[in-house]
Amino acid sequence: MKKVQGSLYFTLILMTWIPLVGFAVVILGFAAGTLKTGMEEEVEEALRNLGVSIMETYETAYPGDYCVDEEGHVLKGSFTLHEDYSLIDHIKEETGVEVSLLYGNTRMLTTIRNSDNERIGGTVVSDVVAEHVLGQGEEFFSKELSIYEEKYYGYYLPLVNSDGSVAGMLFVGKQQKEVNGKVDHLIDQIIIIGFIVLILAAFFSICFTRSIVTSINTMMEFLRKIASGDLSVKQDEKLLARNDEIGEMGRLALTVQRSLRQLIEKDGLTDLYNRRSGERRLRELEKKVKESAGTFSVALGDIDFFKKFNDDYGHECGDVVLKKVAECFQRHLEECDGYAVRWGGEEFLLVFAGLDEKQAFSKTETILAGIQKMKVTYGEKEVSVTMTFGVAEYRKDETIERLVKRADDSLYKGKAHGRNQVIGGL
């Protein structure tokens, strides 16, 4: 049983966690990829906008075309740009973006420095960049640009003179480690949030699984006790209160219990307790009384001249009489903590919990009066019924068998002295 329960518990956990973890991994991977792509697109757009702004600033401050003089200095119109780093250094200071002005494929002005903190002017771009920007006059964005072993996101814009020729290019770039650092920070936050959500989901999954398994175990224990013969076991109220399939199973198990009790404990004809279940309930009552200061009494009754009903009218008439007598018992015993047992044939045992002999005697006389007034109709005939009872109160030093024997002795005394009466005191 424990192996089955453990298997069910861990199976449900795995069925919940594996998809949950898999889903979290997929979402995290998708989020990281989307975030990186989105960040790269944002960097590309930001670098291009900055580059366009720088070019417009140069056009406004230094009207004219780009060219070089005899000394190799870059000119913009009539203005010499050689070693004029004020604009690009200001941009680097404000934005953290590296800026280079290239004539042809060679850096003439740049904010990029080497390990000795020297500007890397005079360096050239790759052939791929030169082909796109200088050869085709296109803007070019690179995600894998390497300058002095540093990875950059770089954007190149062609410097076009008034005649449409491409004189050089403007480079704006951001170190990848800065951008990736922000991406990694955001991914770390996503991972932390995802981990917290995963932990919460796992916690609720465990609680939910435990609730299911606990309910199933409770129902299994209920059924196990029923299978062992304990039909008095109570079903757990929390299980019955569940508004799901498990709760429905619990209610069905309770219905099965009631049906079994009806089949096993009750007499099929009269719907009273049969002798076997009646004796068991008597012993339970005896145990309860022995542990307390209470008491109980019994009345053993027999239908007078019952054989005459069967002989004169048939067994079906006798069955009708038995049913009517049982109904009378149940009506009167509902008013007190008692029950009736079909002891055998036309003999019945009435049990009065909490009543002494005097009280039980009075109650039995009331029941007998009800039976005397009862008219049993069978076919076109109406028959009267009487009974004789013997009453006895339980004594804590005697057995159940002895108690019933004393009630039986009183019953036979009543039979011998005219029937249709209640006898006690033996």
Side-chain angles (χ1 to χ4, degrees), residues 231 260-282 330 339-345 347-349 351:
L231 296 178
L260 286 173
R261 288 181 64 177
Q262 184 71 22
L263 289 172
I264 295 174
E265 294 188 349
K266 296 297 184 72
D267 175 65
L269 178 64
T270 62
D271 200 35
L272 302 179
Y273 289 108
N274 57 36
R275 181 160 181 165
R276 179 182 177 183
S277 61
E279 286 180 342
R280 180 178 58 79
R281 291 174 64 89
L282 262 178
Q330 290 174 327
Y339 57 91
V341 181
R342 187 178 180 188
W343 205 244
E347 196 171 46
F348 299 88
L349 183 74
V351 181

Side-chain angles (χ1 to χ4, degrees), residues 159-308:
L159 301 177
V160 183
N161 285 333
S162 57
D163 61 359
S165 63
V166 180
M169 62 188 82
L170 179 72
F171 164 81
V172 284
K174 190 80 170 177
Q175 286 190 4
Q176 286 191 9
K177 63 183 180 182
E178 294 183 24
V179 177
N180 292 341
K182 294 179 181 179
V183 173
D184 291 342
H185 178 67
L186 291 174
I187 291 176
D188 288 342
Q189 290 181 324
I190 293 174
I191 291 174
I192 292 172
I193 294 172
F195 182 74
I196 292 173
V197 172
L198 194 62
I199 291 297
L200 290 174
F203 172 75
F204 287 113
S205 170
I206 290 173
C207 292
F208 179 71
T209 302
R210 185 173 295 168
S211 171
I212 291 176
V213 174
T214 299
S215 295
I216 292 175
N217 288 343
T218 300
M219 187 162 52
M220 289 174 66
E221 180 64 16
F222 176 78
L223 293 173
R224 185 189 65 78
K225 290 182 177 179
I226 289 177
S228 67
D230 184 5
L231 296 178
S232 63
V233 61
K234 294 184 180 296
Q235 182 66 283
D236 185 77
E237 292 297 330
K238 292 182 179 179
L239 175 61
L240 297 176
R242 290 182 69 113
N243 191 26
D244 57 14
E245 290 80 358
I246 294 178
E248 183 63 22
M249 290 171 64
R251 290 185 284 274
L252 287 174
L254 188 61
T255 301
V256 170
Q257 179 201 33
R258 290 169 179 166
S259 297
L260 286 173
R261 288 181 64 177
Q262 184 71 22
L263 289 172
I264 295 174
E265 294 188 349
K266 296 297 184 72
D267 175 65
L269 178 64
T270 62
D271 200 35
L272 302 179
Y273 289 108
N274 57 36
R275 181 160 181 165
R276 179 182 177 183
S277 61
E279 286 180 342
R280 180 178 58 79
R281 291 174 64 89
L282 262 178
R283 297 193 190 283
E284 291 174 357
L285 183 57
E286 176 192 25
K287 181 180 178 182
K288 182 179 178 181
V289 167
K290 282 184 176 180
E291 295 172 353
S292 65
T295 187
F296 70 94
S297 300
V298 298
L300 189 63
D302 185 87
I303 298 176
D304 297 331
F305 305 109
F306 181 73
K307 188 174 182 299
K308 182 178 177 58

Side-chain angles (χ1 to χ4, degrees), residues 6-193:
S7 174
L8 177 62
Y9 180 80
F10 288 110
T11 298
L12 289 175
I13 288 293
L14 288 176
M15 287 176 64
T16 304
W17 283 18
I18 289 176
L20 194 63
V21 172
F23 180 74
V25 171
V26 170
I27 289 297
L28 181 61
F30 177 77
T34 302
L35 184 62
K36 183 176 176 62
T37 301
M39 185 65 76
E40 288 176 348
E41 292 175 352
E42 185 178 334
V43 169
E44 179 181 358
E45 183 178 0
L47 289 177
R48 184 186 185 282
N49 292 336
L50 180 60
V52 171
S53 296
I54 294 171
M55 290 174 62
E56 291 176 350
T57 301
Y58 270 111
E59 288 295 329
T60 301
Y62 311 110
D65 291 338
Y66 291 94
C67 62
V68 286
D69 60 16
E70 295 177 353
E71 297 179 359
H73 298 158
V74 178
L75 284 73
K76 180 76 167 65
S78 59
F79 300 93
T80 301
L81 301 180
H82 181 66
E83 294 185 351
D84 183 3
Y85 300 108
S86 57
L87 177 60
I88 60 177
D89 282 349
H90 176 73
I91 292 171
K92 167 68 181 297
E93 182 179 347
E94 292 295 322
T95 65
V97 174
E98 303 285 4
V99 183
S100 295
L101 185 67
L102 296 91
Y103 190 82
N105 66 349
T106 305
R107 287 184 178 85
M108 308 302 289
L109 299 174
T110 184
T111 59
I112 304 174
R113 298 173 182 269
N114 60 22
S115 58
D116 296 327
N117 201 32
E118 298 174 342
R119 297 180 191 270
I120 61 170
T123 57
V124 297
V125 299
S126 68
D127 293 339
V128 175
V129 175
E131 172 64 23
H132 279 84
V133 182
L134 300 177
Q136 302 178 22
E138 298 175 346
E139 298 177 4
F140 182 78
F141 176 69
S142 176
K143 301 177 183 179
E144 297 294 335
L145 181 63
S146 180
I147 304 176
Y148 279 88
E149 299 182 353
E150 288 288 346
K151 295 289 186 180
Y152 283 83
Y153 290 109
Y155 204 95
Y156 296 86
L157 295 97
L159 301 177
V160 183
N161 285 333
S162 57
D163 61 359
S165 63
V166 180
M169 62 188 82
L170 179 72
F171 164 81
V172 284
K174 190 80 170 177
Q175 286 190 4
Q176 286 191 9
K177 63 183 180 182
E178 294 183 24
V179 177
N180 292 341
K182 294 179 181 179
V183 173
D184 291 342
H185 178 67
L186 291 174
I187 291 176
D188 288 342
Q189 290 181 324
I190 293 174
I191 291 174
I192 292 172
I193 294 172

